[in-house]
Amino acid sequence: MNLREEINQTIRSIPDFPKPGILFKDITPLFENQKLCTRMVEEMIAQTPVKPDAIIGIESRGFLFGFLMANKLDVPFVLVRKAGKLPYKTLSFKYDLEYGSSAIEIHEDALKKNWKVLIHDDLLATGGTAAAAAELVKMSGAQVAGFSFIVELEFLKGKEKLKSHSNNITCLVQY
Ligand code: AMP
């Protein structure tokens, strides 16, 4: 079975979670299959045209594969978390949600100037969260080398929101 088919068959779709009308893509069954996880990490790295200086993982599911990719590439892994979770001095970026707003943060010393940074999350929906992470990269004086996701919800056109930051956007499966 090819990688795409195997991921498709493993990810579960949960209707009306966490609220009515959302079809939630549950990636947790992937973690029961170590060989599949290894192939996913290798493929996400292979799809990235430049070797980044660091990888960002977005809270919380972006931490899982983001850290594996960073370790495999032998580059630092940097956490982007929801406001108030990181213990040291932070840079913060506020962005709009469907209802209300949210803020994400990064440690102010986590990225070095001019580093090329790959931003990873489990899923690309509207692109608002990943675009906010890109703003944090720029506020740190670093550059966005690209974006890497496991799942893209194509109908939400999240890629459009990210293109101004980088055209290098890869996703292993689309729905
Ligand atoms: P967005 O900012 O709209 O691109 O939303 C992306 C973030 O929300 C990611 O961190 C995802 O984990 C989460 N997310 C959004 N929609 C879904 C969904 N249908 N299934 C699972 N996670 C989702």
Side-chain angles (χ1 to χ4, degrees), residues 22-25 58-59 61 95 121-130 153:
I22 306 282
L23 184 63
F24 191 85
K25 297 294 177 187
I58 302 177
E59 180 167 0
R61 289 181 295 276
Y95 62 105
D121 202 358
D122 67 324
L123 182 141
L124 173 62
T126 66
T129 313
L153 301 183

Side-chain angles (χ1 to χ4, degrees), residues 100-151:
S101 66
S102 185
I104 54 172
E105 296 182 343
I106 191 169
H107 275 148
E108 64 171 21
D109 61 350
L111 299 177
K112 304 285 175 267
K113 298 253 176 298
N114 298 320
W115 269 7
K116 296 187 289 297
V117 180
L118 180 71
I119 296 171
H120 170 79
D121 202 358
D122 67 324
L123 182 141
L124 173 62
T126 66
T129 313
E135 296 294 345
L136 290 177
V137 171
K138 289 182 182 167
M139 287 163 71
S140 304
Q143 299 163 20
V144 179
F147 299 90
S148 141
F149 303 91
I150 300 167
V151 180

Side-chain angles (χ1 to χ4, degrees), residues 7 10-14 24-32 37 40 60-62 64-65 120-123 150-151:
I7 296 169
T10 308
I11 289 177
R12 278 189 297 222
S13 297
I14 315 282
F24 191 85
K25 297 294 177 187
D26 176 19
I27 63 162
T28 60
L30 296 169
F31 302 114
E32 294 166 23
C37 289
M40 288 171 64
S60 56
R61 289 181 295 276
L64 299 157
F65 281 94
H120 170 79
D121 202 358
D122 67 324
L123 182 141
I150 300 167
V151 180

